Amino acid sequence: MSKKESLSVVPKSERRTWIIEQLLSAIKSDEIFHTLDYRNKTEAYIKQYMHQILKRCLLEIHRRISPGQKEDTLKRKASDSLMWEGDVNTTINHIRFLGVQHRPDFKVRVDGLNIAIEVKRGDSGAGIREGIGQSLVYAASEDFDFVVYLFIDISKDKKILESLRRDRERAFVDSLWDKYNIRFDII
């Protein structure tokens, strides 16, 4: 039975989990959220900032995975590992699912893994639902082993971020990771 038929997930090793956590940490960086006026900037603007931080993160990941390699080689690997929909020099191919095309904001290829990164911002449930739906599509495809989904809460009272303190929401977030290899977080 193929992944498509069974929706089985790629096993989570310590190394794979570390890679996912490094990528999530990079897109949640203080450098982004304490520097930018993210409440008033567009998603595209925020993703442009994330792109450079992800490249630095991937350089560190490659340093750890391939110790002793030349710096130029590591930089090339880091650059080749990251595709961004906003970069005119790269193409993230669409995947077809349920009759329509989908593509993540970023695609990362590292250590034999294909990882989709989705970023949404908003102050209501629409962005959360859209991002969760997209993440499930990527997880169900044969194109991605893991998905990282970050929702940027721009509500005045941070009600969406605060919801993660509730047991039901934590259980849901945990189930996305356990069942679908989707690492979802809110900032």
Side-chain angles (χ1 to χ4, degrees):
M1 188 178 289
S2 72
K3 179 180 176 183
K4 187 186 291 186
E5 294 165 343
S6 69
L7 286 180
S8 63
V9 296
V10 171
K12 295 173 195 75
S13 66
E14 185 176 322
R15 181 161 148 159
R16 290 173 173 177
T17 300
W18 175 80
I19 291 169
I20 297 302
E21 292 302 323
Q22 293 303 302
L23 294 171
L24 178 62
S25 180
I27 62 174
K28 288 179 62 176
S29 168
D30 286 347
E31 187 176 339
I32 299 167
F33 294 101
H34 287 117
T35 304
L36 293 181
D37 181 13
Y38 65 90
R39 284 188 170 90
N40 295 309
K41 296 292 183 186
T42 65
E43 272 182 32
Y45 187 88
I46 296 167
K47 291 171 195 173
Q48 182 178 4
Y49 220 79
M50 288 177 173
H51 180 255
Q52 293 305 313
I53 293 169
L54 279 167
K55 281 176 78 170
R56 287 196 313 257
C57 172
L58 283 161
L59 178 60
E60 292 306 314
I61 289 171
H62 281 289
R63 274 192 186 120
R64 181 159 173 192
I65 290 172
S66 305
Q69 282 200 327
K70 293 180 181 179
E71 190 67 15
D72 288 345
T73 301
L74 293 170
K75 286 180 181 178
R76 181 186 46 77
K77 283 183 171 186
S79 183
D80 291 347
S81 294
L82 180 62
M83 287 159 275
W84 169 44
E85 68 176 356
D87 184 350
V88 296
N89 297 318
T90 62
T91 301
I92 299 177
N93 294 322
H94 288 90
I95 59 171
R96 193 161 185 79
F97 188 77
L98 295 174
V100 295
Q101 294 181 337
H102 308 269
R103 72 174 181 190
D105 297 317
F106 298 97
K107 179 179 179 180
V108 174
R109 285 188 293 209
V110 63
D111 204 32
L113 300 173
N114 286 317
I115 304 160
I117 299 178
E118 190 64 36
V119 179
K120 296 287 180 208
R121 74 183 264 293
D123 59 2
S124 68
I128 291 198
R129 287 187 297 273
E130 183 179 349
I132 289 171
Q134 285 177 269
S135 296
L136 287 168
V137 165
Y138 305 141
S141 79
E142 293 181 326
D143 296 76
F144 298 103
D145 303 303
F146 292 91
V147 179
V148 176
Y149 169 37
L150 180 65
F151 184 80
I152 304 166
D153 180 4
I154 60 169
S155 64
K156 290 181 182 179
D157 58 359
K158 292 289 191 184
K159 64 184 176 192
I160 300 167
L161 176 62
E162 292 299 316
S163 73
L164 288 183
R165 295 177 187 226
R166 295 194 296 258
D167 291 341
R168 182 173 56 180
E169 281 81 351
R170 284 293 344 138
F172 175 71
V173 168
D174 291 345
S175 74
L176 287 174
W177 178 243
D178 295 340
K179 294 178 182 177
Y180 303 105
N181 281 357
I182 299 170
R183 182 66 172 88
F184 169 54
D185 206 352
I186 302 171
I187 190 160

